[in-house]
């Protein structure tokens, strides 16, 4: 689909992609705590960037959802930053659409990511999402999930320990 | 010994929650460390997985129409990336300081020079530090978190030896005396927590009135 968008500037393919992922992007934007209209604008900016830069998408490196996730992440940082030149922009942190394509590195990343997702127990992964990907405090997470605060903290610790082990294993 | 940022920092970075001076230090590290780059990409994929399985919140139809109407005006406009090659300054710092570490107008005198990196995030102070080859910084202790990313050269202290590329988190309790290796000047990005410094400044202002 992205290839059709990139090569043929295919609006129909883009509309299909929009139907597939805009609701998910919006769901995530809302979970980040953005107000309805801010979330919708962020989703539109993200999809516009996907349209503009579809040629840079490299399926060897990441899946569509991962790519879309990184674009939304970057757009959000830059919206928060607005015109403040002395604060950090997403351009400083990541090369947005790097030209060099390293297939080996892409394969390794994909394998590492698959292991991460497979080996993390679901609850730990969800708490990891709540805390790091949605920016919620431990007590908010505890309240939302109806868990004692101590259990949230220990799940998070277990998740991070598991990530450490996976990292060490992937180096061997 | 090459030191790396821990998983918590990498996951915060990958999820977009480290868009500050500390994030710049991690970005400088990722530029030269393939292992950490790979981990960070893995955490981005976790984000992708979250996006895939999240409960969708549909947008109103008008949003789709207005976006489709903007596509023509928004045709190919590749975003300009700053060149990956060039001077010795890591890419993440090039908007803030000279492209080449040797072209930086270092301040201070003696063996240890510095240059303030003009990043304002309200939480940290970032500086470049240049320690002349074979010399040592006076023995000191940190008041709070300090992260050091070695950009050039290497140094050692009472804990160990750190090679180029190391990302070092200094324990505030540690009293140490970093010494650059004899062959080359050691250049680091140092990021410290700002709150303590500001509190002290305020306290200094407030104190006379308290007396």
């Amino acid at each position: 689909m992205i290839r059709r968008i990139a090569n043929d500037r295919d609006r129909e393919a883009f509309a299909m992609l929009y139907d597939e992922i805009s609701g998910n992007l919006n769901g995530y934007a809302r979970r980040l705590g953005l107000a309805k209209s801010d979330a919708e604008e962020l989703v539109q900016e993200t999809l516009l960037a996907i349209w503009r830069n579809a040629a840079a998408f490299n399926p060897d490196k990441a899946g569509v959802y991962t790519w879309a996730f990184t674009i939304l992440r970057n757009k959000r940082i830059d919206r928060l930053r607005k015109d403040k030149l002395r604060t950090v922009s997403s351009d400083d942190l990541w090369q947005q659409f790097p030209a060099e394509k390293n297939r080996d590195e892409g394969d390794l990343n994909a394998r590492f990511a698959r292991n991460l997702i497979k080996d993390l127990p679901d609850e730990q992964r969800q708490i990891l999402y709540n805390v790091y990907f949605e920016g919620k405090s431990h007590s908010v997470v505890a309240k939302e999930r109806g868990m004692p605060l101590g259990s949230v903290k220990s799940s998070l610790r277990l998740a991070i320990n598991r990530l450490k082990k996976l990292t060490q294993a992937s180096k061997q | 010994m090459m030191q790396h940022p821990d998983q918590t920092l990498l996951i915060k970075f990958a999820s977009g929650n480290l868009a500050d001076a500390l994030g710049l230090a991690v970005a400088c590290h990722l530029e030269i460390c393939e292992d950490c780059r790979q981990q960070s990409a893995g955490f981005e994929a976790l984000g992708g997985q979250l996006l895939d399985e999240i409960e969708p919140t549909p947008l109103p139809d008008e949003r789709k129409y207005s976006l489709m109407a903007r596509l023509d005006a928004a045709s190919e406009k590749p975003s300009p990336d700053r060149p990956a090659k060039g001077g010795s300054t890591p890419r993440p710092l090039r908007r803030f300081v000279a492209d080449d570490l040797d072209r930086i107008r270092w301040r201070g005198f003696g063996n240890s020079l510095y240059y303030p990196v003009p990043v304002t995030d309200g939480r940290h102070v970032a500086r470049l530090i240049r320690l002349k080859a074979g010399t040592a910084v006076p023995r000191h202790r940190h008041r709070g978190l300090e992260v050091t990313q070695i950009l050039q050269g290497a140094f050692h202290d009472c804990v160990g030896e750190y090679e180029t590329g190391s990302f070092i988190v200094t324990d505030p309790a540690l009293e140490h005396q970093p010494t650059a290796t004899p062959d080359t000047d050691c250049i680091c990005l140092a990021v410290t927590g700002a709150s303590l410094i500001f509190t002290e400044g305020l306290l200094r202002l407030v104190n006379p009135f308290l007396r």
Side-chain angles (χ1 to χ4, degrees):
Chain A
M1 197 159 18
I2 305 254
R3 192 149 292 157
R4 271 169 61 199
I5 297 171
N7 296 344
D8 311 327
R9 308 311 284 154
D10 185 335
R11 300 168 69 98
E12 207 176 301
F14 181 76
M16 278 164 65
L17 180 74
Y18 182 100
D19 292 341
E20 188 186 323
I21 69 170
S22 63
N24 297 49
L25 289 167
N26 195 33
Y28 178 53
R30 294 308 300 274
R31 269 166 74 169
L32 282 167
L34 295 182
K36 186 171 179 292
S37 63
D38 287 342
E40 289 173 2
E41 279 168 25
L42 177 62
V43 173
Q44 282 190 309
E45 276 178 35
T46 302
L47 283 156
L48 205 54
I50 288 176
W51 169 259
R52 280 183 180 148
N53 298 288
F57 174 66
N58 176 6
D60 292 338
K61 222 167 178 173
V64 174
Y65 280 95
T66 300
W67 194 54
F69 167 78
T70 59
I71 294 175
L72 182 136
R73 170 196 70 189
N74 295 359
K75 291 285 166 200
R76 175 174 157 250
I77 287 173
D78 295 335
R79 273 174 77 92
L80 290 173
R81 172 179 173 261
K82 294 256 166 63
D83 295 321
K84 292 179 234 150
L85 285 176
R86 289 188 156 195
T87 54
V88 175
S89 75
S90 67
D91 264 341
D92 299 323
L93 300 177
W94 297 280
Q95 259 184 294
Q96 304 288 324
F97 302 102
E100 78 273 18
K101 293 184 167 70
N102 181 343
R103 183 159 192 147
D104 290 347
E105 201 168 305
D107 287 347
L108 275 174
N109 292 344
R111 199 175 335 132
F112 179 67
R114 271 198 305 276
N115 288 341
L116 275 187
I117 292 160
K118 192 170 70 175
D119 288 1
L120 266 186
D122 200 46
E123 188 177 72
Q124 288 178 20
R125 189 156 58 91
Q126 296 307 328
I127 291 175
L128 210 62
Y129 283 154
N130 293 151
V131 173
Y132 293 113
F133 288 82
E134 295 162 16
K136 289 175 180 150
S137 71
H138 295 181
S139 52
V140 167
V141 175
K143 208 167 167 187
E144 276 184 8
R145 306 190 76 84
M147 285 167 75
L149 184 60
S151 309
V152 170
K153 288 187 174 171
S154 60
S155 285
L156 203 57
R157 215 168 23 241
L158 285 173
I160 295 288
N161 281 343
R162 206 172 273 255
L163 294 183
K164 266 183 205 154
K165 284 208 185 95
L166 278 176
T167 310
Q168 279 152 8
S170 78
K171 278 184 195 164
Q172 281 157 13
Chain B
M1 179 165 63
M2 168 84 109
Q3 302 266 59
H4 306 270
D6 68 8
Q7 275 73 17
T8 310
L9 275 178
L10 286 177
I11 202 166
K12 279 187 182 167
F13 180 82
S15 60
N17 290 307
L18 214 59
D20 55 21
L22 216 47
L24 284 183
V26 173
C28 289
H29 180 80
L30 292 194
E31 216 177 47
I32 52 149
C33 178
E34 194 179 328
D35 276 349
C36 289
R37 222 166 34 233
Q38 188 195 328
Q39 282 186 63
S40 175
F43 295 143
E44 288 175 347
L46 266 185
Q49 180 73 15
L50 166 65
L51 206 55
D52 193 358
E53 53 189 52
I54 207 165
E55 176 90 27
T57 306
L59 282 86
D61 288 343
E62 304 87 78
R63 290 284 186 184
K64 184 174 178 183
Y65 305 143
S66 72
L67 184 60
M68 294 303 289
R70 284 165 71 192
L71 293 188
D72 286 333
S75 272
E76 283 137 291
K77 212 174 89 188
S79 58
D81 250 330
R82 266 159 284 150
K85 286 183 188 136
S88 55
T89 301
R91 207 191 55 90
L93 298 177
R94 289 199 191 152
R95 206 164 52 82
F96 302 101
V97 302
D99 279 0
D100 201 289
L101 293 172
D102 282 326
R103 283 186 36 232
I104 288 171
R105 302 173 71 147
W106 297 96
R107 299 182 189 172
F109 51 88
N111 295 330
S112 166
L113 307 174
Y114 72 98
Y115 186 83
V117 181
V119 180
T120 50
D121 64 17
R123 290 185 295 270
H124 305 98
V125 170
R127 283 167 307 160
L128 289 174
I129 292 172
R130 180 172 197 144
L131 185 57
K132 280 215 177 102
T135 66
V137 186
R139 185 166 273 280
H140 65 280
R141 188 178 288 186
H142 300 278
R143 290 209 178 96
L145 166 95
E146 179 169 84
V147 161
T148 308
Q149 167 65 30
I150 306 184
L151 309 178
Q152 176 193 299
F155 76 79
H156 64 85
D157 65 9
C158 51
V159 180
E161 289 178 21
Y162 307 101
E163 59 185 272
T164 312
S166 276
F167 182 100
I168 306 145
V169 179
T170 310
D171 179 352
L174 176 75
E175 190 178 293
H176 71 157
Q177 185 172 35
T179 307
T181 46
D183 48 329
T184 173
D185 288 4
C186 181
I187 299 180
C188 303
L189 169 66
V191 178
T192 45
S195 56
L196 274 173
I197 295 166
F198 291 149
T199 313
E200 286 210 330
L202 273 178
L203 277 179
R204 261 209 299 275
L205 279 176
V206 168
N207 267 344
F209 297 99
L210 290 177
R211 272 183 210 137

